[in-house]
Amino acid sequence: MAFPATRMRRLRRSGLLRGMVRETELTPAHLVQPLFVELGTDQRTPIAAMPGVDRLSISHAVEEAAAVHDLGIPAVLLFGIPSHKDEQGSGAYDDEGVVQLATRAIKESLPDVVVICDVCLCEYTSHGHCGVVREDGAVDNDVTLEVLAKTAISQAAAGADAVAPSDMMDGRVGALRSQLDAEGYSETPIVAYSAKFASAFYGPFREAAESTPAFGDRRAYQMDPANADEAVREALLDVEEGADVVMVKPALPYLDVVRRVKEATRVPVAAYNVSGEYSMVKAAAAAGQLDERAAVLEALTGIRRAGADVVVTYHARDAAEWLR
Ligand code: PBG
C-alpha cells in the first residue's frame, strides 16, 4: 500500500507517538566514560585538544568515577599516564602502576563502578609504540604478548572488572585468556579492541596520553581503514580466542563495520567514539556551528543503531546529564 493509504508522517505527529515507535534506545546504561589518570600530581590538568576532558590525579579519578556513577553510567575505562616511560613499557605491569593504583582506589570507595582497564604499552614505552620494539624497528608480536598478559594479570589483581587490550597484536586475546585463567582470574572478562583502525582520529588522545610514536606509525599493527572483511575476521578470531566483548574503533567513520561485526559474531559489541570524533564536535560547537547537545545525542544514537551494545565516549557524562 502506497500513498495516500500510507502516510509515514502519521506516526511522527507528536513526541509521544514518535517515542512509542522509536527503534533505538540511548540510555546512560550503555555508555562507558574513559578517564585519563596521572601519577605524581593532585591536580586536574586540562587537555588542550579535548576541551572538557582533564587528566586526573587518582583522587580526582575517584571523584569523577563517583559523578559518572551517580548519572547512571555503569563503567569507566582507565588509561594511565605513568611518571616514567622505558623501552619495555614496564610501567604497564607495575603492581604499583598508575592504573593499578587507580583501580584499587576506585573499587575501594565505589565497589559498584565497573572498572575496565586499557591493556596496551604505548602509554608506557619511551618510543610510544604499542609493543616491544626489535632492533630493526618492528614491533615484536610474540614478545609483546607476554608483557600484555602480565599487564592484564596485574590489573585483574588490582580489582579490574574487565581488561581491554587495545594493542592489536595477533593472538593477544588467547594469551590474556589463558594466562588470566592460570592465575585464578577466569571470571575477568576481556573487552577486545578487535577492529582498531590506524586512524587520524586518535590525534587528541595521543596528546592526552603522550603516546605519539617517536618514529614510524601504527599501520603495521592497526587496521587499514579501507578494510571491512578483515575487520569481521579479526572479530571472529577474537571471539574464538575468548573475547567476551568485541570492539570497533573509531565509531562514526566505521558504522558499517559495527553492523557487520554485530551480525557476524552475535556477541556484545562495543564501539569507541574516539578523541578526534569528540574534539570535532566540541570545536564546531565552540564556534557556534552546531548544537552540541543535539549533535552528540544524534551521533551516539547512530552508533547504537548501527549495532553497538556499548558506546565508549568522552561525551558520556554530558550525554547522561542530557538524557536525565
Ligand atoms: C592505544 C590506544 C589509543 C586509543 C586508545 N588506546 C590510541 C592509539 O592507537 O594511538 C585512542 C583513543 C582515542 O583516540 O580516544 N593504547
Side-chain angles (χ1 to χ4, degrees):
M1 262 191 313
F3 178 84
T6 300
R7 289 181 181 270
M8 298 304 284
R9 289 181 54 194
R10 281 186 202 121
L11 291 174
R12 295 180 196 149
R13 284 182 63 220
S14 73
L16 283 173
L17 280 170
R18 291 191 295 272
M20 194 175 78
V21 297
R22 184 161 296 129
E23 298 173 40
T24 304
E25 190 192 39
L26 178 69
T27 73
H30 301 115
L31 304 179
V32 175
Q33 176 78 55
L35 300 179
F36 295 102
V37 193
E38 184 172 28
L39 272 190
T41 171
D42 342 303
Q43 315 273 316
R44 282 176 170 269
T45 310
I47 299 164
M50 301 177 72
V53 180
D54 297 333
R55 294 203 210 166
L56 306 167
S57 67
I58 289 183
S59 59
H60 283 105
V62 175
E63 204 178 278
E64 192 70 26
V68 155
H69 178 68
D70 287 344
L71 286 165
I73 297 166
V76 294
L77 172 60
L78 302 186
F79 292 98
I81 298 128
S83 42
H84 117 114
K85 307 193 186 214
D86 59 31
E87 284 282 306
Q88 300 286 315
S90 64
Y93 54 84
D94 182 349
D95 290 334
E96 303 297 311
V98 56
V99 162
Q100 289 81 353
L101 292 173
T103 300
R104 280 192 217 106
I106 294 172
K107 292 304 291 186
E108 202 163 288
S109 54
L110 305 159
D112 291 341
V113 170
V114 174
V115 174
I116 308 172
C117 294
D118 182 71
V119 179
C120 194
L121 304 187
C122 64
E123 298 111 85
Y124 304 92
T125 49
S126 41
H127 45 71
H129 278 288
C130 300
V132 178
V133 173
R134 288 194 313 235
E135 298 257 297
D136 66 359
V139 172
D140 190 318
N141 192 88
D142 300 10
V143 170
T144 301
L145 297 184
E146 286 302 310
V147 187
L148 294 170
K150 275 204 315 209
T151 302
I153 288 163
S154 89
Q155 293 170 344
D161 294 290
V163 292
S166 67
D167 51 282
M168 287 302 278
M169 297 302 118
D170 286 320
R172 91 274 207 217
V173 172
L176 259 56
R177 185 72 278 152
S178 66
Q179 301 208 33
L180 283 166
D181 289 1
E183 298 291 325
Y185 302 108
S186 59
E187 291 181 6
T188 303
I190 298 177
V191 177
Y193 289 67
S194 302
K196 179 174 178 183
F197 291 89
S199 173
F201 293 98
Y202 305 149
F205 174 97
R206 292 180 188 173
E207 180 196 312
E210 294 171 353
S211 61
T212 307
F215 59 89
D217 55 44
R218 303 205 201 291
R219 285 181 294 181
Y221 40 102
Q222 297 181 350
M223 282 189 54
D224 184 333
N227 296 355
D229 285 342
E230 186 189 343
V232 170
R233 278 183 79 198
E234 282 278 11
L236 290 169
L237 285 168
D238 282 356
V239 170
E240 218 174 287
E241 288 178 32
D244 298 281
V245 178
V246 292
M247 181 144 48
V248 175
K249 176 183 178 185
L252 295 172
Y254 299 94
L255 294 183
D256 59 320
V257 176
V258 172
R259 163 61 50 185
R260 286 186 56 185
V261 164
K262 180 67 190 175
E263 283 174 357
T265 63
R266 304 314 302 179
V267 304
V269 172
Y272 198 140
N273 178 227
V274 301
S275 58
E277 300 175 73
Y278 171 86
S279 298
M280 282 197 299
V281 173
K282 294 300 268 192
Q289 292 160 349
L290 51 72
D291 173 343
E292 180 177 351
R293 172 182 170 145
V296 167
L297 295 178
E298 181 179 334
L300 299 181
T301 300
I303 297 167
R304 290 266 305 136
R305 192 197 61 242
D309 300 286
V310 177
V311 184
V312 183
T313 177
Y314 303 96
H315 298 292
R317 191 177 166 171
D318 288 339
E321 255 161 42
W322 296 324
L323 290 167
R324 262 217 288 223

